[in-house]
Amino acid sequence: MSDSGGRKTLIHLSSGCVAGTVASSLTSPLDVVKTRMQTSSCGVFTSTAPRPTAVAVPSLSMVLPRPLSLLRNIVRSEGFSALYKGLGPTLVGIAPARAIYFASYSNLKLLCNSHACPNTWKVHLLSALGAGLIVSTSTSPIWVVKTRLQVHQGSGTSRQTAAGCARELYADNGLRSFYRGLTASYAGVCETAFYFVMYEHLKKRKRLQNGSEDSDLSASQLIQCTVMAKSVAAVMAYPHEVVRTRLRIEVGKNRKYRKFFQTLFVVWKEERAAGLYGGLSAHLCRVVPNTAIMFLVYEHAVRWLGAE
């Protein structure tokens, strides 16, 4: 790798690290609420009208608390600091995760551009898919620990620590425990890939509206591109988030959730759409501003450091 190429990679690594840290710190409370709502433990099952069958059997539907209501309940029962459960592993993991992602995406895009028509949607798609797979595999243990900390409802001296959580996971099934939900993370790569394709397309349109493909976009234009692309991608791929959370939180040999499609089927069978889309509102309230902040910081950091 040339000095110029190495410098650009370092700039993308640093920019991604800073962007991810800032965004995750600001939106941590909503991340905790979303994760709680993705588990069936915070919902209430209520009877509904029996279906017209030979034997009328009342069915159950799941009623999830509203995000603000759950937020108040967490603060009331566990204290304000509970809204930042899992932030430690997040800050440990988000810096390398975002750094690896942005650097991988940038380098894969350069590689694809040299072998195909530059900056097409195919180039953006392949680059995003490759970067997503690399990050999901390399950082899985951190996110498994983070998820388990967020759903643990202890407070004070009974609050679980990251080290204690890691020991519990290792005692359960060794290193394999740290990769639970990895298949769901791989499925989630499709969301990221779709987001990047749409994001790059929207940026290109905005630049053309400004008069040139090489024109700089304003902060408001970058935010518009991010919000539109992330909102659509998040809604389309949301069920994989629920499946991933369910796979991560259980321990023991008699686990209810074992594999991606098996978990997807069980959640749909027992909870229907309420289960598969539990926490979507909190997810959107978190992930859209999170992504907007992250990409705004990233784009300006890259521009300021002179990689573009």
Side-chain angles (χ1 to χ4, degrees), residues 2-301:
S2 65
D3 291 341
S4 176
R7 179 176 176 277
K8 284 190 175 183
T9 298
L10 182 59
I11 288 174
H12 286 287
L13 278 166
S14 303
S15 301
C17 175
V18 172
T21 300
V22 171
S24 295
S25 298
L26 292 176
T27 58
S28 178
L30 286 169
D31 192 30
V32 173
V33 171
K34 176 216 53 169
T35 304
R36 294 282 182 96
M37 292 183 74
Q38 286 175 346
T39 69
S40 59
S41 60
C42 77
V44 177
F45 286 96
T46 58
S47 298
T48 59
R51 298 175 181 175
T53 56
V55 178
V57 179
S59 58
L60 296 175
S61 65
M62 189 182 206
V63 178
L64 287 166
R66 294 177 183 273
L68 287 178
S69 174
L70 183 56
L71 195 70
R72 286 194 296 268
N73 290 338
I74 291 173
V75 173
R76 189 182 302 116
S77 60
E78 302 172 51
F80 183 78
S81 62
L83 296 178
Y84 292 88
K85 282 184 175 179
L87 183 58
T90 297
L91 294 180
V92 169
I94 200 66
R98 294 310 180 194
I100 292 168
Y101 191 93
F102 282 113
S104 299
Y105 178 77
S106 175
N107 284 301
L108 287 171
K109 189 164 69 169
L110 287 173
L111 179 64
C112 291
N113 280 338
S114 66
H115 292 84
C117 184
N119 295 319
T120 61
W121 70 269
K122 291 181 181 179
V123 168
H124 298 147
L125 178 65
L126 290 173
S127 302
L129 283 172
L133 291 173
I134 291 169
V135 168
S136 295
T137 305
S138 59
T139 61
S140 176
I142 297 171
W143 307 132
V144 172
V145 171
K146 183 209 78 167
T147 300
R148 292 183 62 80
L149 286 174
Q150 288 181 332
V151 299
H152 187 263
Q153 298 186 19
S155 60
T157 56
S158 63
R159 180 169 295 171
Q160 193 173 40
T161 63
C165 180
R167 286 194 296 269
E168 182 182 82
L169 282 165
Y170 187 78
D172 180 48
N173 199 24
L175 291 176
R176 293 181 62 182
S177 297
F178 294 95
Y179 290 89
R180 287 179 184 158
L182 185 57
T183 50
S185 293
Y186 287 158
V189 169
C190 296
E191 174 193 341
T192 307
F194 178 77
Y195 163 75
F196 261 97
V197 171
M198 191 172 179
Y199 175 70
E200 296 280 6
H201 174 70
L202 292 171
K203 281 204 305 179
K204 185 176 181 179
R205 287 185 60 183
K206 290 288 185 184
R207 283 172 174 155
L208 289 173
Q209 290 174 8
N210 291 348
S212 170
E213 286 192 18
D214 298 322
S215 64
D216 289 335
L217 298 181
S218 66
S220 63
Q221 288 176 317
L222 287 171
I223 290 173
Q224 288 171 30
C225 294
T226 301
V227 169
M228 187 178 298
K230 192 61 182 180
S231 298
V232 174
V235 172
M236 287 178 61
Y238 185 73
H240 93 271
E241 293 261 355
V242 174
V243 171
R244 184 172 59 191
T245 296
R246 300 289 179 97
L247 286 169
R248 286 174 175 174
I249 61 176
E250 286 191 320
V251 294
K253 294 182 178 180
N254 298 318
R255 296 195 304 274
K256 183 178 182 179
Y257 308 114
R258 293 182 173 274
K259 297 181 179 180
F260 179 75
F261 287 108
Q262 177 262 343
T263 302
L264 195 67
F265 175 76
V266 169
V267 174
W268 171 255
K269 182 180 179 181
E270 295 182 351
E271 304 167 39
R272 300 298 181 186
L276 289 179
Y277 285 90
L280 177 60
S281 56
H283 178 65
L284 290 175
C285 287
R286 172 195 170 267
V287 77
V288 172
N290 178 282
T291 307
I293 294 166
M294 182 172 64
F295 274 80
L296 187 62
V297 172
Y298 172 73
E299 296 277 5
H300 281 281

